[in-house]
Amino acid sequence: MNIPTITAKYCDYGHTEPPYAMTTHIHLYWELVYYRFGTGTSTVDGISYNYLPDTYVIIPAGTPHSEKAGSDTRLYIYGFEVGQWDYRFPNMLFFDRNGRALKEIEAIWDEYSQNKPFMQQKMSNHFQNLFIETLRMCTKSESLLDDKLNMLVNYIDNYATTAIDFHSLANSMAYSYDYLRHYFKQKTGLSMKQYAMQKRIDAVKQLLVTDMSIGEIADACGFYSTAHLTNAFTAQTGMSPTAYRKKQSSSFKTPGTILVDDENQS
C-alpha cells in the first residue's frame, strides 16, 4: 500500500478542562488529535470514545466529530491534507502503546515551532511515518486473536501496573463492558481482571531479582500495600514474594574452578 503525500495545514498544542465541550463540526482537511494527558470523550462520525493519555483519533476530511473534556487535558491538534488515497483508517481510538506515534507527533511539532528550512518536507515525512505506525496497528494479526482483542490485550500489557478502568476502556472501543468481558473470557479463558493481575505479577517477578524492597515493588506495581502484594502473589504462584526471591537467588551458582589442560601447561 502506497502512503500518500501529506501536507500540514495547521498545528496546535492545546489545553482543555471541564466544562469544555466542542459541538459537532467538520473540517475541510484531515485532523489528528493526540491526547497527551487527561481524559474525556471524543465522538467521531457518531461513535464515542473515552480517550485516555497517549491515545489518538484520525478524522478524515468532512467527517463530523465533537469532543468533551472529562479532566484537565493536553492535546496535539494537527490538520493536514492527504493526497489521493483509497484507504480509510477504521473509526477507532488508537493506543500509542510503544510511544512511536508520539515520537513522530513531537517531531512534527518541533519542525513547526522552529520553522526550519524544508519544514513542510520534513513534516510530511513524519506524517508518513505516523501513518505507517497507525497502519501497523490496523493490520490484522496472524494470531487467533482478532484486531480489537489484540488492541485490548496490548493495552492491558502496557498498563497492567496501573488501576485500569475497564468500563471506560470498553466504552472507548464502542462496546458495552458486559459484552467485552464475556468476549475476552471466551477468547482467552481469563477475565480481563485476571489477565491484568497475571501481567502485574509478571512485573513483580522481574523486580524481585533486583534490590528493591517488597514495599517498593508493591508501590511500583500498583498494589495498595505489601500485604496486598503478598496475598495476590501467593495466590498466583503458590509462594510468597520473599520465598520466590530466595528461590531465584539460590539458582545463581558460584562459578566452578576452571580446569587447566595439563597438556597445554608449559
Side-chain angles (χ1 to χ4, degrees):
M1 178 188 300
N2 293 327
I3 303 299
T5 300
I6 302 170
T7 305
K9 292 298 181 180
Y10 54 86
C11 297
D12 191 20
Y13 181 65
H15 165 243
T16 63
E17 60 184 18
Y20 169 83
M22 175 64 73
T23 58
T24 301
H25 61 288
I26 63 173
H27 296 296
L28 296 177
Y29 304 112
W30 287 55
E31 190 170 80
L32 183 147
V33 183
Y34 189 104
Y35 301 99
R36 187 66 183 91
F37 303 106
T39 59
T41 303
S42 178
T43 302
V44 180
D45 205 15
I47 300 178
S48 295
Y49 305 101
N50 289 339
Y51 66 77
L52 301 167
D54 293 319
T55 61
Y56 63 100
V57 291
I58 295 180
I59 307 164
T63 302
H65 58 285
S66 62
E67 187 177 87
K68 183 176 181 180
S71 68
D72 186 10
T73 298
R74 303 283 174 168
L75 66 167
Y76 290 95
I77 305 171
Y78 291 167
F80 52 97
E81 189 173 53
V82 177
Q84 187 174 2
W85 201 37
D86 57 2
Y87 181 83
R88 183 182 177 94
F89 285 113
N91 186 357
M92 62 186 290
L93 185 73
F94 295 100
F95 292 90
D96 186 21
R97 63 183 181 275
N98 52 26
R100 291 174 181 167
L102 179 60
K103 179 180 178 181
E104 303 301 335
I105 290 286
E106 291 179 334
I108 292 169
W109 181 254
D110 181 63
E111 290 291 334
Y112 174 77
S113 301
Q114 299 188 40
N115 195 22
K116 299 177 181 179
F118 306 104
M119 176 188 73
Q120 279 287 359
Q121 291 86 343
K122 289 285 290 185
M123 290 173 72
S124 180
N125 289 340
H126 289 301
F127 268 119
Q128 289 178 329
N129 289 339
L130 179 58
F131 266 40
I132 290 171
E133 290 299 330
T134 307
L135 284 168
R136 285 176 172 173
M137 295 185 200
C138 299
T139 301
K140 187 171 180 60
S141 171
E142 295 180 357
S143 71
L144 296 177
L145 301 178
D146 65 21
D147 294 335
K148 288 185 175 60
L149 193 58
N150 271 327
M151 185 173 70
L152 179 59
V153 167
N154 288 328
Y155 182 86
I156 296 175
D157 287 351
N158 203 38
Y159 292 98
T161 57
T162 66
I164 299 175
D165 185 342
F166 289 105
H167 286 84
S168 295
L169 186 57
N171 289 338
S172 73
M173 301 175 68
Y175 284 103
S176 72
Y177 170 72
D178 286 336
Y179 176 85
L180 194 61
R181 69 185 180 89
H182 285 303
Y183 183 72
F184 189 95
K185 180 126 185 220
Q186 177 186 2
K187 291 290 186 177
T188 67
L190 297 171
S191 71
M192 292 185 290
K193 292 181 179 180
Q194 287 172 332
Y195 181 80
M197 181 57 71
Q198 277 193 0
K199 303 307 292 187
R200 188 175 290 191
I201 295 301
D202 287 344
V204 171
K205 289 178 179 178
Q206 293 178 12
L207 295 179
L208 282 172
V209 299
T210 71
D211 294 328
M212 291 177 67
S213 69
I214 303 299
E216 290 172 333
I217 294 173
D219 185 62
C221 294
F223 291 94
Y224 306 127
S225 63
T226 301
H228 182 209
L229 166 59
T230 299
N231 290 337
F233 192 93
T234 304
Q236 285 278 334
T237 67
M239 66 177 71
S240 69
T242 301
Y244 181 87
R245 170 171 273 172
K246 289 180 179 177
K247 181 179 179 181
Q248 295 303 307
S249 298
S250 65
S251 66
F252 291 96
K253 304 296 184 182
T254 302
T257 303
I258 298 176
L259 300 179
V260 178
D261 188 343
D262 292 337
E263 295 181 358
N264 293 330
Q265 295 185 32
S266 54

